[in-house]
Amino acid sequence: MDTDKVFKALGDPTRRKLLDLLCEKNGQTLGELCESLDMARQSTTQHLGILEAANLLSVVRRGREKLHFINPVPLHEVYERWVRKFEQQRLSLLHDLKAELEGE
């Protein structure tokens, strides 16, 4: 996994919006995604290309259409590497604070 590409892709609000749209309804076409965005198809295509290059999307061709699907694996890997370890420490601190406040 290229974490730089994932973070770059996630750093843009339009690309996060595209992921949100696909989370609501996975497998949308470019036309369906464009209906929810205030931008040209070409700009949307560029954003989808960056998401695909970061492996955050997979594309399935259906005739002349391309269906876009979220690939959650890179997001999970980012979570495991960058979020989970901090979350565990915070939860441990909260548990210790609770125990101390309750006199355990």
Side-chain angles (χ1 to χ4, degrees), residues 72-90:
V73 174
L75 293 172
H76 180 72
E77 290 175 358
V78 165
Y79 170 79
E80 287 293 321
R81 169 113 193 261
W82 296 100
V83 178
R84 187 174 184 190
K85 63 183 169 185
F86 298 109
E87 185 179 78
Q88 286 178 332
Q89 180 182 13
R90 186 187 63 165

Side-chain angles (χ1 to χ4, degrees), residues 39-50:
M39 66 175 50
R41 289 174 66 92
Q42 184 177 5
S43 298
T44 303
T45 300
Q46 290 174 342
H47 284 292
L48 290 170
I50 292 169

Side-chain angles (χ1 to χ4, degrees), residues 23-104:
C23 188
E24 291 172 15
K25 180 185 173 214
N26 217 3
Q28 293 187 60
T29 64
L30 174 62
E32 291 171 320
L33 292 167
C34 285
E35 289 175 7
S36 300
L37 299 173
D38 187 27
M39 66 175 50
R41 289 174 66 92
Q42 184 177 5
S43 298
T44 303
T45 300
Q46 290 174 342
H47 284 292
L48 290 170
I50 292 169
L51 289 168
E52 191 174 353
N55 201 27
L56 291 166
L57 286 184
S58 60
V59 176
V60 175
R61 291 197 177 274
R62 184 181 67 190
R64 292 177 40 181
E65 294 180 321
K66 286 172 42 173
L67 302 177
H68 301 86
F69 294 89
I70 289 179
N71 177 12
V73 174
L75 293 172
H76 180 72
E77 290 175 358
V78 165
Y79 170 79
E80 287 293 321
R81 169 113 193 261
W82 296 100
V83 178
R84 187 174 184 190
K85 63 183 169 185
F86 298 109
E87 185 179 78
Q88 286 178 332
Q89 180 182 13
R90 186 187 63 165
L91 290 174
S92 293
L93 290 171
L94 287 174
H95 173 64
D96 294 344
L97 177 63
K98 178 183 181 283
E100 185 176 322
L101 290 173
E102 292 177 350
E104 293 180 8

